């Protein structure tokens, strides 16, 4: 099973950006952790990161031809991007939204996710484990 892990804006700065909120792993280290844990579940992941909204829309469109599902951390776009929400709804493969931090317990603007409504589910606040659990949710959804 092939899954795309899509990281949104500013996640390229993991490790140096707000480490008390997002942890000390760099994006490269996080991707290694995700790939290692996914392979135990028989899942082959490809990890991509984009800062641009349109790039994320394009990556979602392309994913529908290649991947069984997507694990998406939309970053701050989660809170206002109807373009990404529409893309998720349009592609016809399951998308699980993830957040490293617990967005429900942070600033008010982070408590709304317009992209989550288009996703099959959300895992938030568990650091790297958010991604592992999202991959395992996709395995369950896709083998049901
Ligand atoms: C985030 C939470 C967002 O509110 C924030 O803008 C991010 C990261 C997370 O993984 O916790 O960039 O998506």
């Amino acid at each position: 099973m092939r899954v795309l892990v899509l990281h949104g804006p500013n996640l390229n700065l993991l490790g140096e950006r707000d480490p008390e909120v997002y942890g000390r792993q760099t994006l490269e280290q996080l991707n290694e952790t995700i790939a290692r844990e996914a392979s135990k579940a028989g899942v082959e992941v490809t990890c991509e990161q984009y800062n641009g909204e349109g790039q994320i829309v394009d990556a979602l469109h392309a994913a529908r031809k290649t991947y069984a599902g997507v694990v998406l951390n939309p970053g701050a776009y989660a809170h206002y991007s109807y373009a990404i929400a529409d893309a998720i709804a349009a592609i016809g493969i399951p998308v699980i939204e993830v957040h490293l931090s617990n967005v429900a317990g942070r600033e008010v603007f982070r408590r709304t996710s317009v992209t989550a409504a288009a996703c099959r589910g959300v895992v938030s606040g568990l650091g790297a484990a958010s991604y592992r659990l999202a991959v395992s949710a996709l395995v369950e959804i896709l083998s049901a």
Side-chain angles (χ1 to χ4, degrees), residues 7-11 14 17 21-22 72-80 97-103 106-107 109-112 123-127 130-131:
H7 304 283
N10 300 305
L11 294 165
L14 281 179
R17 172 192 179 207
V21 177
Y22 299 117
L72 170 66
N73 185 342
Y77 289 134
H79 312 308
Y80 66 93
E97 177 164 316
V98 300
H99 296 282
L100 290 156
S101 66
N102 178 10
V103 286
R106 298 183 62 199
E107 301 97 315
F109 78 89
R110 292 187 207 276
R111 295 183 196 160
T112 299
V123 188
S124 176
L126 304 173
S130 291
Y131 290 85

Side-chain angles (χ1 to χ4, degrees), residues 48-69:
E48 298 177 6
Q49 187 273 332
Y50 300 104
N51 288 318
E53 185 180 24
Q55 292 170 297
I56 294 171
V57 170
D58 287 342
L60 287 166
H61 291 178
R64 78 191 197 283
K65 307 273 188 198
T66 313
Y67 298 98

